[in-house]
Amino acid sequence: MPDSESRALLAHADDRTLVDRAVDGDVRAFEVLVRRYGPLVRAHATRILGSSHDADDVVQDTFITAWAKLSTLKDSALVKSWLMRIASHKSIDRIRARRQHSNLDDVDVPASENHSPTQIVEALSRSEALSQVLSALPEDQRRCWELKEFGDYHYAEIAEELDLPVSTARGLLARARKTLIREMEAWR
């Protein structure tokens, strides 16, 4: 089979097939996964981090980790949610690293034509406040909220990802939203 036909077949293969082939060492199959889910992982990381520069690094770290640990994925059909979970962890690690290593005097935020320095500082402060509120949520509520808001998951997908009944996922998400609304009231 010519190389172009092989690539076309891979591009239309389902996730399970691509993962199984990648686990067997097929780099082209893994490349299809990267092309298929790279933009979603990047958007997810950008929402969490608020920075496309950091998001690019998270995407790269996510797929490096995925390639190294692909054989540990229990259900290859769930590769999308697995990648999003890796990206979430990598993004949160970056946020934590920022807090530990950045001094406000050392931060050089580029000026935007559309935003004043005051608006930029407010946005950064709001983002930091949101990160703090999210980190204070119980883990199951936080994970539900992140999957819904950052991963754009539906209730059934959240329930499946977290191995919960749909009603429990809805309840956890409702409690997380209620806490976020209450805690972020000052930023409205």
Side-chain angles (χ1 to χ4, degrees):
M1 181 179 303
D3 194 41
S4 62
E5 287 179 41
S6 173
R7 286 178 194 248
L9 287 175
L10 275 177
H12 298 292
D14 65 0
D15 289 348
R16 186 181 306 272
T17 302
L18 293 171
V19 170
D20 292 344
R21 289 187 63 163
V23 167
D24 290 337
D26 187 341
V27 176
R28 288 187 182 154
F30 189 73
E31 288 173 358
V32 172
L33 288 170
V34 171
R35 282 193 300 277
R36 185 174 289 173
Y37 293 115
L40 180 63
V41 169
R42 187 177 191 284
H44 181 62
T46 301
R47 285 182 188 162
I48 294 172
L49 296 166
S51 162
S52 60
H53 172 71
D54 285 342
D56 291 338
D57 291 341
V58 166
V59 171
Q60 183 176 1
D61 291 347
T62 297
F63 284 107
I64 289 170
T65 299
W67 177 252
K69 296 186 178 192
L70 200 56
S71 62
T72 67
L73 181 60
K74 288 179 179 50
D75 184 353
S76 53
L78 300 176
V79 69
K80 174 185 171 186
S81 59
W82 183 68
L83 288 169
M84 299 303 281
R85 194 167 47 250
I86 293 171
S88 293
H89 291 296
K90 297 288 182 184
S91 297
I92 291 167
D93 289 345
R94 283 228 178 238
I95 290 170
R96 287 182 181 137
R98 277 188 214 154
R99 287 187 203 147
Q100 293 170 358
H101 300 293
S102 67
N103 179 344
L104 283 179
D105 295 333
D106 297 336
V107 176
D108 185 16
V109 179
S112 170
E113 293 177 9
N114 299 331
H115 297 90
S116 70
T118 303
Q119 290 171 319
I120 292 170
V121 170
E122 285 177 8
L124 290 171
S125 296
R126 184 175 40 252
S127 177
E128 179 64 25
L130 177 61
S131 294
Q132 288 175 355
V133 172
L134 284 173
S135 66
L137 285 175
E139 183 178 351
D140 52 354
Q141 289 181 26
R142 179 187 48 77
R143 289 186 67 202
C144 282
W145 189 87
E146 286 175 343
L147 289 172
K148 181 67 174 164
E149 299 302 324
F150 295 144
D152 202 24
Y153 281 46
H154 299 285
Y155 292 110
E157 293 172 313
I158 294 169
E160 182 180 332
E161 176 69 26
L162 300 178
D163 195 27
L164 300 168
V166 174
S167 60
T168 302
R170 284 181 189 267
L172 290 169
L173 187 56
R175 286 192 291 280
R177 286 176 171 160
K178 185 177 179 180
T179 300
L180 284 164
I181 289 169
R182 183 182 66 243
E183 297 296 320
M184 296 299 291
E185 182 64 32
W187 293 100
R188 292 182 108 201

